[in-house]
Amino acid sequence: MGSSKLNAAVLLPLLLMVLHAPMTTAANSNLFREYIGAIFNGVQFSDVPINPNVQFDFILAFAIDYTAATDPPTPTNGQFNIFWQDSVLTPSAVASIKQSNPNVRVAVSLGGATVSSSPVFFSITSVDSWVQNAVQYDLDGIDIDYEQFQADPATFAECVGRLVTTLKSSGAIRFASIAPFDDTGVQSHYQALWASYGSVIDYINFQFYAYDASTTADQYANHFDDQITNYPGGTILASFSTEPTTTSVPIDTALSACQALQSQGKLYGIFIWVADYSNRQGFKYETQAQALLANATSQ
C-alpha cells in the first residue's frame, strides 16, 4: 500500500473539490403548481383538472401589504390584505378541494407586480415591525413574489428570511417558495435572500416565461442552467404563462424545454401563471404538464 503522505496528497484535493462543488438538486419530480385568483374572472379550484399522480399546489394570488380601500393603495408595512377573488376562492373552497384531492396543497403568494394598476413595492418602516405584522397572517404555505423594491437587498433578505423562518418554526406553514425573474434588481434581492436563508426556501418558481418570445427550447434550457448557478442547491421549477400575449416564451417552446430537462433528470417541477387565463383555454396545458410530470415518476 502507498504511504499515508501520498494518500493524503491525493485525497485532500478530491475532498476540497467535493466540499466546494455546487449543491445538486433532486432528480425529476412530480410537483405541479398553479397561481389562481388574480384576474377576478370567477375561476374556481374545482375547475382545474388535477392529476392524482402529481403533487399539486394551488397558489392564491395575491396577499399584499397595501391598503385595499384607498386610491391609490399605500404600503402597510407587513399588514397583508387579500387581493385574490376571495368571494370564490374561500376558506371553505380550500377545505373542499383538499378533502376531495389528498394530493393538493394551497399556498398564498405575497407581493405581486401591481395593485389597482399601480406598482407593488417592497416597502417597510423597519425589519422588526414588518416581520411582526406579517407573521400574523396565518398561512398554509407561502410564495414570495415582490418585483419592485424600496429597500436594499440585505433588508429584503432579512425581512423575508425571518418571516419564513418564523412561520416554519411555529408550524404555521410547511413550505415556502420565491418567484424571481431575470432582472438585475430582482435577482440581486432574491439572491441575497437565497444566500442568507436558502435553507428555509423549498422551491424557486422562476418566471422563465418572462424571457423574450423568440426564446428557443435550447435557450430556455440554458436559462434554466443559469438559474441553477444563481441559486445553488435550489429546486428550480420550469414555468410558462397561459396569459394571451405575444411577448412571453411560447407555451409549446416551454413544454419542449421541459421534456428536454426531464430527459436530463432536471425537471424538478412545473408551475403555470395563471389558472384564470387557462380557464378560457379549457386547461389543456395544465393537463399536458401534469401528464408529463406524472410520467416521470411512474417510470
Side-chain angles (χ1 to χ4, degrees):
M1 295 181 66
S3 71
S4 59
K5 289 183 179 179
L6 178 59
N7 287 338
V10 173
L11 292 174
L12 183 57
L14 292 175
L15 178 60
L16 290 174
M17 287 174 63
V18 171
L19 291 175
H20 291 284
M23 296 171 62
T24 56
T25 314
N28 291 331
S29 94
N30 67 344
L31 176 63
F32 178 81
R33 319 189 85 203
E34 180 146 41
Y35 291 84
I36 187 170
I39 312 302
F40 283 73
N41 65 358
V43 67
Q44 303 180 56
F45 295 122
S46 56
D47 292 332
V48 184
I50 298 170
N51 188 317
N53 297 314
V54 303
Q55 171 62 63
F56 194 114
D57 290 351
F58 282 110
I59 305 175
L60 293 162
F62 293 94
I64 309 175
D65 52 338
Y66 268 62
T67 55
T70 62
D71 188 18
T74 56
T76 55
N77 191 44
Q79 294 180 330
F80 288 91
N81 289 304
I82 291 174
F83 285 89
W84 71 82
Q85 194 171 10
D86 61 333
S87 60
V88 175
L89 303 170
T90 62
S92 61
V94 170
S96 177
I97 198 68
K98 284 182 163 184
Q99 185 175 18
S100 302
N101 301 273
N103 59 321
V104 165
R105 304 181 296 186
V106 180
V108 177
S109 187
L110 308 184
T114 62
V115 55
S116 301
S117 301
S118 299
V120 170
F121 288 94
F122 178 79
S123 179
I124 70 166
T125 57
S126 76
V127 173
D128 288 340
S129 62
W130 189 91
V131 173
Q132 184 178 14
N133 287 335
V135 296
Q136 295 176 20
Y137 201 88
D138 188 15
L139 304 172
D140 224 11
I142 61 171
D143 174 68
I144 305 299
D145 188 29
Y146 286 99
E147 301 184 4
Q148 288 100 192
F149 307 89
Q150 291 179 335
D152 60 80
T155 301
F156 174 72
E158 189 65 15
C159 284
V160 174
R162 283 174 54 183
L163 171 63
V164 174
T165 300
T166 300
L167 290 173
K168 278 196 163 186
S169 55
S170 69
I173 63 170
R174 291 182 289 159
F175 56 89
S177 59
I178 57 176
F181 57 94
D182 198 358
D183 170 88
T184 301
V186 170
Q187 290 281 62
S188 67
H189 283 76
Y190 282 96
Q191 286 179 263
L193 171 61
W194 182 257
S196 298
Y197 288 96
S199 61
V200 296
I201 297 167
D202 301 280
Y203 314 115
I204 300 169
N205 289 4
F206 199 85
Q207 299 180 45
F208 289 103
Y209 47 84
Y211 286 107
D212 190 82
S214 64
T215 301
T216 66
D218 286 343
Q219 289 171 331
Y220 187 114
N222 289 336
H223 292 318
F224 186 91
D225 288 339
D226 290 341
Q227 302 318 316
I228 289 177
T229 300
N230 287 334
Y231 299 92
T235 299
I236 312 286
L237 272 60
S239 63
F240 59 85
S241 170
T242 57
E243 182 175 358
T245 176
T246 58
T247 59
S248 296
V249 175
I251 296 172
D252 289 340
T253 299
L255 286 170
S256 294
C258 287
Q259 291 173 331
L261 291 169
Q262 190 178 75
S263 70
Q264 301 168 29
K266 296 191 297 188
L267 187 59
Y268 311 135
I270 298 173
F271 81 87
I272 295 179
W273 172 265
V274 55
D276 309 48
Y277 290 126
S278 302
N279 194 27
R280 305 167 185 171
Q281 305 160 4
F283 298 102
K284 62 179 180 179
Y285 297 113
E286 280 77 1
T287 300
Q288 290 180 34
Q290 290 179 74
L292 179 64
L293 293 166
N295 180 61
T297 53
S298 65
Q299 295 176 349

